Amino acid sequence: MVSGEAVVLDDPVGASLRGPHARFARRLGRAATYLPGVATFSAVSGDPDSADWADLARLLGRGEFADMFSCPVIPPPDWEPVFVLEGRQMIWPGGGRPGRPAAAGGTGVVELGAADVPEMLDLVARTRPGPSRPRTHELGTYLGIRDGGRLVAMAGERLRPPGWTEISSVCTAPEARGRGHAARLVRALVARVLARNERPFLHVAEANTHARALYERIGFESRRQVTFRGFRTP
């Protein structure tokens, strides 16, 4: 039986920072954020007051970026809005396995690590799958596909609410698209997550219908619509 109650996904950043990712957290009162080199995401309590927002501002510093991810609460008016993006949270149904399991051996899929970070960040800059930092790969397993020695596709594990693992940074270089790389990488990660008795989930921009269709073909189901927001601290 695969574990993972879905309610914890209502606050995936906070649940990760309080749980499996506590070693990457900076905390003050009921506010928390990732270490700067690891991830941009921050969290407050489900019913934040002015003290919680002040604590988060102190953690981040004056005029710094606060990536509130899918947090539904809005900070005070003196926090400057930076972006708003409509998205969707998708989850793996309990008990299933990916349609075509992809192990690392024999598929061209390789594990990525610290030595690959410059190439990983370059691929992210060219494809823009979402925020990534020099230490983001420390959050979980990252897999890639190389063509002629060059990294052309990757995907990895990011948020880790108890019982769940988020699949993220799914991207393919423009010159390597249409070859099934993204599906191969996501299936390989799904298999790894399920082998740990956890459940995979992911987030996708609502407008990215191509990616959403891909995830549905692999086996993911929509759980809820979310709004991603970023702000500048006062």
Side-chain angles (χ1 to χ4, degrees):
M1 177 68 68
V2 178
S3 65
E5 292 296 328
V7 67
V8 75
L9 301 184
D10 291 344
D11 179 23
V13 174
S16 299
L17 289 168
R18 290 188 299 269
H21 282 171
R23 68 189 183 279
F24 299 116
R26 292 185 295 157
R27 308 191 65 86
L28 183 60
R30 298 195 297 174
T33 186
Y34 278 90
L35 295 171
V38 176
T40 62
F41 308 128
S42 299
V44 291
S45 67
D47 57 341
D49 55 25
S50 59
D52 296 328
W53 291 112
D55 285 343
L56 182 57
R58 281 193 289 271
L59 275 177
L60 295 172
R62 184 181 298 273
E64 293 297 325
F65 178 56
D67 189 334
M68 300 309 299
F69 200 66
S70 59
C71 178
V73 295
I74 306 298
D78 56 347
W79 288 56
E80 177 190 353
V82 175
F83 78 88
V84 177
L85 176 67
E86 298 304 321
R88 185 176 299 204
Q89 185 181 80
M90 305 182 74
I91 64 174
W92 190 261
R97 288 292 187 272
R100 290 181 296 168
T107 65
V109 177
V110 297
E111 286 200 29
L112 303 174
D116 303 297
V117 167
E119 283 188 282
M120 295 166 72
L121 293 178
D122 176 70
L123 184 59
V124 166
R126 290 192 291 134
T127 58
R128 300 185 177 275
S132 187
R133 294 294 181 268
R135 295 181 57 195
T136 299
H137 70 282
E138 297 179 23
L139 296 177
T141 298
Y142 275 72
L143 302 177
I145 293 176
R146 294 186 175 278
D147 184 0
R150 185 183 185 194
L151 184 66
V152 297
M154 75 171 188
E157 300 173 352
R158 192 171 62 180
L159 298 178
R160 292 285 301 277
W164 297 80
T165 295
E166 182 197 28
I167 294 175
S168 184
S169 298
V170 182
C171 55
T172 303
E175 68 273 14
R177 290 173 183 164
R179 306 178 191 174
H181 292 333
R184 187 177 304 122
L185 290 167
V186 171
R187 287 190 173 101
L189 287 170
V190 167
R192 287 173 179 244
V193 174
L194 293 175
R196 295 199 302 263
N197 201 36
E198 295 180 349
R199 284 175 66 183
F201 74 111
L202 53 81
H203 295 89
V204 61
E206 189 67 17
N208 194 346
T209 55
H210 176 77
R212 225 170 57 225
L214 169 67
Y215 299 141
E216 289 171 350
R217 286 197 302 271
I218 291 171
F220 284 88
E221 299 175 351
S222 294
R223 176 176 180 257
R224 63 174 184 140
Q225 292 181 311
V226 295
T227 301
F228 303 107
R229 294 184 177 91
F231 299 88
R232 190 76 58 188
T233 60

